[in-house]
Amino acid sequence: MEDALQHEKWMKLAVDEAYKAQEKGEVPIGCIIVYEGTVIGSGFNQRETKQQSAAHAEMIAIQETCEYLGSWRLEECTLYVTLEPCPMCAGAIVQSRIPYVVFGASDPKAGCAGTLMNLLEENRFNHRAEVTGGVLEEVCTNLLTSFFRQIRESKKQIRQKKCNY
């Protein structure tokens, strides 16, 4: 029970990061990295803002954590992210030696922590991460669902306005 409560506590901070992305019109995905009971890295999706395909929440948080620790080896960290890591982020997690990954919502289109495949627990790699999914899943899923619903509604209203001219 303690682990579940701890995971929820940290995931709430990742959700806070996701809201920062949403405020900037980005897909609301947030990530934090915890080391010895302290958040030492955080990030939120910034692909549109930075016009960089690699500006995912996890990539930004990993970079910040490496700078904080002065090392690319993040061997005693836990990564919390609101959406299941994609192949790129899963690869960066493996390469960073992060041993624990906790995510909120599953990603049926790009999830590589168990949904489409599991790169994080792939035995052929020299490093693996233990994965826990579904932490605050409803909160994380609803955040994404409502964001994309708003985008669809906006596009629908624009189309209707064009038709009225």
Side-chain angles (χ1 to χ4, degrees):
M1 186 66 154
E2 172 113 3
D3 272 353
L5 292 174
Q6 282 295 103
H7 287 331
E8 287 183 11
K9 168 191 163 184
W10 297 120
M11 186 61 74
K12 286 177 184 175
L13 296 177
V15 169
D16 289 344
E17 291 295 312
Y19 280 116
K20 291 177 186 177
Q22 185 175 22
E23 288 169 10
K24 294 183 175 283
E26 297 277 359
V27 177
I29 301 167
C31 179
I32 64 159
I33 299 179
V34 177
Y35 172 74
E36 295 182 347
T38 303
V39 176
I40 61 169
S42 62
F44 56 87
N45 192 34
Q46 296 182 51
R47 289 194 312 171
E48 296 299 328
T49 303
K50 293 187 174 188
Q51 287 299 298
Q52 294 288 324
S53 57
H56 287 203
E58 299 97 319
M59 301 296 281
I60 293 165
I62 288 170
Q63 182 177 357
E64 191 173 289
T65 301
C66 289
E67 290 170 8
Y68 178 89
L69 291 176
S71 176
W72 62 270
R73 288 184 172 97
L74 309 181
E75 295 169 322
E76 300 194 18
C77 296
T78 301
L79 182 144
Y80 290 85
V81 64
T82 57
L83 182 65
E84 180 180 4
C86 72
M88 174 182 67
C89 294
I93 291 164
V94 169
Q95 292 299 312
S96 300
R97 309 294 195 262
I98 296 171
Y100 305 104
V101 173
V102 180
F103 70 86
S106 297
D107 186 352
K109 295 183 179 181
C112 285
T115 299
L116 295 180
M117 63 181 63
N118 194 338
L119 292 176
L120 298 175
E121 294 178 322
E122 174 55 57
N123 288 327
R124 293 174 288 181
F125 291 139
N126 65 335
H127 175 76
R128 285 166 290 291
E130 184 180 315
V131 177
T132 301
V135 174
L136 297 183
E137 182 174 21
E138 189 174 332
V139 171
C140 296
T141 299
N142 288 342
L143 187 59
L144 290 159
T145 302
S146 64
F147 175 80
F148 287 113
R149 185 179 302 122
Q150 283 180 321
I151 288 176
R152 285 190 301 275
E153 284 299 315
S154 294
K155 287 181 179 179
K156 183 178 175 182
Q157 288 175 2
I158 290 169
R159 282 193 304 270
Q160 287 175 345
K161 284 181 181 178
K162 286 182 181 178
C163 289
N164 290 337
Y165 286 112

